[in-house]
Amino acid sequence: MKRILHIDSNHPLLKSQLEAAGFINDDDFTSSKKEIESKIANYEGIVIRSRFQIDAAFLEKAVNLKFIARVGAGLESIDCECAAANGIALIAAPEGNRNAVAEHALGMILSLFNNLNRANAEVKSGKWLRESNRGHELDGKTVGIIGYGNMGKAFAKKLRGFDVTVLCYDILPNVGDANAKQVSLAKLQEQADVLSLHIPWTPETDKLVDENFINAFSKPFWLINTARGKSVVTADLAKALKSKKILGAGLDVLEYEKLSFEQLFTSEIPEAFQDLISAENVILSPHIAGWTFESHEKLAQTIADKILLVYNPSPQNAVLEERVTGIGGFFFKSENPEKLRDWYHKHLQLSTDAYGCTFWWKDKAGADCSTQWSVLAANTTYFEPSKKEFMQNFRVRNLETLLEQLKEEGVAVVGEMESYDYGKFGWILDLEGNKIELWEPIDSAFL
């Protein structure tokens, strides 16, 4: 039997879905790391948040481990190289709390710009000071994002409602999209009014924001950190706040946090942190940006889905192998048929030849079938923004993941994904401006 050890509590749907799939789930929320090590050989999987570090010594005893699932965004508490060398799959869930983190970062910016924390405290103490609490508007500013993965992209998406310029810097090339222009670090430091960090904690990002980094900015700026506390040198931040090189800071994470994220100080409070506590232009929260009621459930669902993919890579994981699983018949003219066929082969992985591509499927009785087509009214606006009066529809799996992949590949994504009781829908444009509807169906809705 497939046994999983859960060493941190999570949303109950995680265990219920795994149990339904035939897994045996054991809880141990209190034993020491050494005690867990003594029995980890009995398990194929372990689910953690941040209770302790999974290092080489731990993995040496985990002789039957197939996966480590961390219910969170990062894997810094795991010896990833050792795990990979032992063939252990590593699972994280940045998709589960990226929206929560993005909203928290935006809330911190707006609170800083409008002095909301200070004004709230003053009014509650009987003070009515309007002029000293005059705020700033986000519109017209340039927001710089360092780290343009799940979190950075989600934050940039939230900024679309503002008239701002969004720049991103990442160690990976070609990650910019319609929401943020990728630039060099020097260009970001030259132009940014606001800096938001969305980076993992690595040797490269440890103490990244120090005095030299701060002084490299051309303008005074606001700093938001919802990523990892050890990426910012607190003493240098406090100094920059006093000199007004940094105009204000919103920190959900702190340099002083323990790896478990459950504690802050066990001894005397450092002087630099005392400066942050007393500063009116600093907002602090206890590592809760991704800690919403909604993300609690999303994280668990994401982890459940990914664990099942470890054991059942097909068909759920077919988005990485065969993205399109059904197609409605269509025929259309093209100025460059060969180039267009290559585009569909590359981005949607259709098995194309000189004649096109044909999909067949079987019904429950095993009979060969093809998908149907629909006729729409002549005055429909359903094809917008396509310049041609038709639209293709493809059945896909894991639509949200696929849309993110297509964005990274430079494919134009139209609007937002929409969900209904019969499935999820998203839309893209091919290189000639033809609109394509991607459909992740809920087939049970048609029974």
Side-chain angles (χ1 to χ4, degrees), residues 45 75 78 193 285 289 336 352 416:
L75 294 169
I78 302 167
D193 299 294
S285 56
N336 192 330
T352 55
E416 299 296 322

Side-chain angles (χ1 to χ4, degrees), residues 221-232:
F221 65 98
W222 284 267
L223 172 67
I224 305 296
N225 188 11
T226 55
R228 289 295 183 260
K230 295 185 187 300
S231 294
V232 176

Side-chain angles (χ1 to χ4, degrees), residues 30 53 73 75 80 115 120 141 221 234-235 247 255 279 327 388:
T30 58
Q53 184 136 9
L75 294 169
C80 297
N115 305 306
N120 172 69
K141 303 296 191 297
F221 65 98
T234 309
L247 302 172
E255 180 182 3
I327 188 171
K388 302 180 181 180

Side-chain angles (χ1 to χ4, degrees), residues 197-214:
L197 300 179
H198 298 278
I199 47 180
W201 182 44
T202 67
E204 291 73 26
T205 64
D206 185 53
K207 299 180 175 60
L208 172 70
V209 181
D210 60 8
E211 184 173 13
N212 290 333
F213 179 93
I214 293 167

Side-chain angles (χ1 to χ4, degrees), residues 150-436:
N150 277 281
M151 305 302 171
K153 283 183 167 66
F155 179 54
K157 182 179 176 181
K158 295 299 176 189
L159 292 169
R160 290 193 311 200
F162 297 87
D163 185 14
V164 295
T165 298
V166 183
L167 306 177
C168 68
Y169 169 75
D170 197 281
I171 60 173
L172 298 177
N174 304 316
V175 298
D177 55 21
N179 298 325
K181 178 182 178 182
Q182 187 168 6
V183 297
S184 66
L185 179 58
K187 180 64 70 174
L188 185 147
Q189 290 175 314
E190 176 188 336
Q191 298 185 9
D193 299 294
V194 177
L195 171 64
S196 188
L197 300 179
H198 298 278
I199 47 180
W201 182 44
T202 67
E204 291 73 26
T205 64
D206 185 53
K207 299 180 175 60
L208 172 70
V209 181
D210 60 8
E211 184 173 13
N212 290 333
F213 179 93
I214 293 167
N215 289 334
F217 279 74
S218 298
K219 299 182 284 185
F221 65 98
W222 284 267
L223 172 67
I224 305 296
N225 188 11
T226 55
R228 289 295 183 260
K230 295 185 187 300
S231 294
V232 176
V233 178
T234 309
D236 292 351
L237 168 60
K239 181 178 179 181
L241 286 164
K242 290 178 181 178
S243 70
K244 298 187 178 179
K245 179 66 177 182
I246 291 182
L247 302 172
L251 307 176
D252 181 56
V253 291
L254 293 168
E255 180 182 3
Y256 314 106
E257 288 182 71
K258 302 298 182 288
L259 187 64
S260 66
F261 306 145
E262 299 297 330
Q263 290 179 304
L264 194 54
F265 298 112
T266 55
S267 58
E268 186 178 349
I269 297 176
E271 181 180 350
F273 187 60
Q274 291 279 16
D275 291 338
L276 298 188
I277 293 173
S278 61
E280 293 182 333
N281 58 343
V282 173
I283 297 175
L284 304 172
S285 56
H287 206 133
I288 56 168
W291 202 251
T292 63
F293 290 101
E294 291 81 3
S295 69
H296 187 44
E297 182 172 349
K298 290 178 187 176
L299 286 165
Q301 184 64 65
T302 301
I303 291 296
D305 291 342
K306 290 185 177 182
I307 290 174
L308 294 177
L309 287 178
V310 171
Y311 288 85
N312 301 290
S314 180
Q316 291 93 332
N317 203 32
V319 67
L320 301 178
E321 301 164 2
E322 183 189 11
R323 292 181 175 181
V324 176
T325 62
I327 188 171
F330 64 93
F331 302 88
F332 57 95
K333 296 179 180 180
S334 169
E335 295 297 326
N336 192 330
E338 183 177 356
K339 188 174 182 180
L340 198 60
R341 283 197 299 268
D342 289 345
W343 187 94
Y344 280 82
H345 176 71
K346 175 182 178 181
H347 296 295
L348 296 181
Q349 297 179 359
L350 271 63
S351 180
T352 55
D353 56 28
Y355 300 99
C357 181
T358 303
F359 287 91
W360 291 91
W361 52 278
K362 293 182 181 294
D363 63 15
K364 289 184 177 180
D368 288 330
C369 301
S370 60
T371 52
Q372 282 70 46
W373 61 279
S374 299
V375 178
L376 283 76
N379 63 351
T380 182
T381 60
Y382 199 44
F383 300 117
E384 295 177 359
S386 176
K387 301 299 183 182
K388 302 180 181 180
E389 293 302 313
F390 62 86
M391 182 177 68
Q392 304 160 61
N393 173 277
F394 295 96
R395 290 169 59 103
V396 302
R397 299 186 179 96
N398 300 326
L399 176 60
E400 186 173 2
T401 299
L402 176 55
L403 288 175
E404 290 295 327
Q405 291 173 329
L406 291 172
K407 286 180 183 178
E408 293 174 1
E409 293 168 9
V411 175
V413 176
V414 179
E416 299 296 322
M417 187 182 74
E418 298 180 9
S419 298
Y420 301 92
D421 56 4
Y422 46 87
K424 299 176 181 177
F425 293 84
W427 296 269
I428 62 175
L429 299 180
D430 70 16
L431 55 80
E432 291 189 356
N434 302 311
K435 190 175 181 184
I436 302 168

